[in-house]
Amino acid sequence: MTKLKIKSGDTVVVTAGDHKGSEGKVMKIFLDKNKAIVEGVNMVSKHEKPSAKNPQGGIAKKEAPIHISNLSLVDPKSGKATRVGYKTENGKKVRFSKQSNQAI
């Protein structure tokens, strides 16, 4: 298992694939698969059978996981994709943007 620099709640941009350039908030991370679900990105159609919960059934849109390597954190200052580094401030480990050197 690797250490991920992207966490739930971060704003990310997709850097590769069909959804390149799309921006969204990370909703959930799957550590074992190195994938994340990003709000509004990589939408898939899921066919749902009618049930008591959903009597109509039909086609539902939902987010599918996207690989972490295709995501990059958004710099809070410039709004562009940036790399992430770690430094210690007052004895605490803090993530910072390599582009603007600002804490995330």
Side-chain angles (χ1 to χ4, degrees), residues 28-70:
K28 185 171 179 157
I29 292 186
F30 302 105
L31 288 173
D32 55 333
K33 297 179 184 175
N34 280 344
K35 292 188 175 200
I37 293 181
V38 182
E39 191 175 36
V41 178
N42 201 18
M43 299 293 282
V44 294
S45 298
K46 181 168 174 25
H47 300 273
E48 291 188 346
K49 195 174 183 180
S51 65
K53 198 176 202 180
N54 186 7
Q56 188 66 29
I59 300 170
K61 293 256 186 196
K62 63 180 266 185
E63 290 97 351
I66 189 167
H67 201 272
I68 294 287
S69 66
N70 296 336

Side-chain angles (χ1 to χ4, degrees), residues 3 11 18 20 34 44 50 52 79 89:
K3 172 78 172 139
T11 304
D18 291 339
K20 184 176 180 177
N34 280 344
V44 294
E89 289 181 359

Side-chain angles (χ1 to χ4, degrees), residues 77-97:
K77 192 172 182 182
S78 68
K80 294 181 181 177
T82 184
R83 292 175 298 143
V84 179
Y86 287 95
K87 60 183 172 183
T88 54
E89 289 181 359
N90 302 329
K92 288 188 178 181
K93 194 173 175 183
V94 179
R95 292 185 305 160
F96 72 98
S97 165

